[in-house]
Amino acid sequence: NKTVVKEFILLGFGNGPELDSLLFLMFLSIYIVTITGNFFIIVLVVANRHLHTPMYFFLGNLACLEICYSSNILPRMLLSYLGGDRSISVNGCFTQYYFFGCLAAAECYLLAVMSYDRYLAVCKPLHYPSRMNGKLCLQLGAASWISGFLANSILTFLISNLDFCGPNEIDHFFCDSFPMIKLSGSDSHVAGLVTSVVAGVCSLPLFLLTFSSYLYIIITVMRIPSATGRKKAFSTCSSHLIVVILFYWSILTVYVLPHHDTQISPNKVFSVFYTILTPLVNPLIYSLRNKEVKEALQK
């Protein structure tokens, strides 16, 4: 007599033809700019030999990750606003969550690697060419992707083994862990606890590593005697710092802080920052604030 849920309903940001049309146009514009901007960065880094450096190698990886990140969430959301069908199969929901979690964790690792690269470039400039060689860049890039995909496997396994036999409306615009856990009819305490622990392990140490790197960078930059020298040195990492602050501020708020039912709606707003806005602003920040990218674009 047990009814098993066959599909979930993603509630998104609201109902109504006028609101759906507005949200569709807004998110379609964001998706086009995100894909175009990040793809352009990849092409620019590959085509211009002056950008064949560790910094732009990691930037190319980040741009590729952002394309996958956005494509995992936005196309399904656009279809729901266009056709009005907000249902998603249970397996499709788990698949979306798996790739979302993997890519989010990979971005944490990749941002930490990029901060370490900037630390060596600014604080250890004489040792930078020997330490950040091509082999190490490939190893760090591969480790970021592999670690991200391994980190979320256990969470997806735990959530997919919960019983879903009651309400099937997910109060979110994509399949995320806590909104799905809330719908489970079985004991979901362990799954919720493990989700917070894994999120903390994947984000807090990497955040501290990133923060420490920038702390050393700021101290080193402040010791430069000339104002021009300080400005030039800090400009190499200011773009990365903006992306890091935006990403970690939102993701730590959603997954690491104590979670209660009343937080789900605010968390839906915070989720917009690391799932939609970060992939959007990444190419804009790096292209508008980076002198080398501007010169490569002009050439």
Side-chain angles (χ1 to χ4, degrees):
N1 295 327
K2 180 179 177 181
T3 302
V4 180
V5 171
K6 300 296 183 181
E7 63 181 19
F8 292 116
I9 306 297
L10 295 171
L11 298 181
F13 294 97
N15 296 309
E18 294 183 357
L19 182 59
D20 286 354
S21 300
L22 179 62
L23 291 174
F24 173 79
L25 292 175
M26 182 179 69
F27 287 123
L28 178 62
S29 301
I30 290 175
Y31 184 59
I32 293 174
V33 173
T34 300
I35 298 299
T36 304
N38 283 288
F39 181 75
F40 182 75
I41 286 180
I42 296 174
V43 172
L44 198 63
V45 171
V46 172
N48 195 304
R49 61 184 182 86
H50 295 290
L51 300 182
H52 292 179
T53 62
M55 174 182 175
Y56 293 103
F57 170 77
F58 296 127
L59 176 57
N61 275 266
L62 182 62
C64 181
L65 187 147
E66 303 292 24
I67 291 175
C68 298
Y69 207 30
S70 297
S71 299
N72 183 49
I73 295 175
L74 282 175
R76 179 65 193 82
M77 185 164 57
L78 290 172
L79 287 175
S80 68
Y81 287 125
L82 182 63
D85 183 11
R86 305 196 177 190
S87 63
I88 182 173
S89 67
V90 172
N91 290 333
C93 198
F94 290 144
T95 301
Q96 185 186 59
Y97 169 68
Y98 172 71
F99 283 104
F100 155 74
C102 293
L103 293 169
E107 184 160 357
C108 290
Y109 286 104
L110 194 56
L111 290 174
V113 168
M114 294 176 72
S115 68
Y116 176 69
D117 171 74
R118 291 300 86 205
Y119 161 76
L120 289 179
V122 176
C123 302
K124 308 287 183 180
L126 298 180
H127 300 281
Y128 179 72
S130 60
R131 290 189 180 183
M132 193 58 69
N133 52 56
K135 181 179 179 180
L136 181 60
C137 289
L138 291 174
Q139 291 174 341
L140 291 175
S144 298
W145 286 90
I146 294 173
S147 299
F149 274 80
L150 291 177
N152 198 48
S153 299
I154 184 173
L155 298 183
T156 306
F157 175 78
L158 287 175
I159 296 175
S160 64
N161 279 277
L162 296 175
D163 293 330
F164 296 94
C165 53
N168 66 337
E169 293 184 341
I170 298 178
D171 187 18
H172 218 309
F173 58 90
F174 72 100
C175 296
D176 200 3
S177 55
F178 287 124
M180 285 195 295
I181 290 173
K182 183 187 176 185
L183 299 180
S184 173
S186 55
D187 185 8
S188 57
H189 176 73
V190 174
L193 180 62
V194 173
T195 298
S196 296
V197 170
V198 172
V201 169
C202 289
S203 58
L204 281 176
L206 298 174
F207 171 73
L208 293 176
L209 174 62
T210 304
F211 177 79
S212 301
S213 299
Y214 280 109
L215 182 62
Y216 279 108
I217 290 173
I218 293 173
I219 294 174
T220 302
V221 169
M222 295 306 295
R223 291 175 180 174
I224 298 177
S226 66
T228 304
R230 289 196 297 268
K231 182 179 179 180
K232 181 179 179 181
F234 193 73
S235 66
T236 62
C237 58
S238 59
S239 300
H240 184 203
L241 182 59
I242 294 173
V243 175
V244 166
I245 291 175
L246 179 64
F247 179 78
Y248 275 109
W249 168 69
S250 56
I251 205 167
L252 290 175
T253 300
V254 172
Y255 295 101
V256 180
L257 293 181
H259 188 270
H260 305 285
D261 290 344
T262 56
Q263 284 186 313
I264 290 180
S265 293
N267 281 355
K268 184 161 54 175
V269 177
F270 283 115
S271 298
V272 173
F273 286 94
Y274 62 84
T275 59
I276 297 176
L277 295 184
T278 299
L280 171 68
V281 302
N282 175 47
L284 297 178
I285 287 176
Y286 277 100
S287 60
L288 294 177
R289 296 179 59 86
N290 195 294
K291 182 179 178 181
E292 291 178 318
V293 172
K294 290 180 182 179
E295 291 177 352
L297 176 60
Q298 291 173 356
K299 292 180 181 179

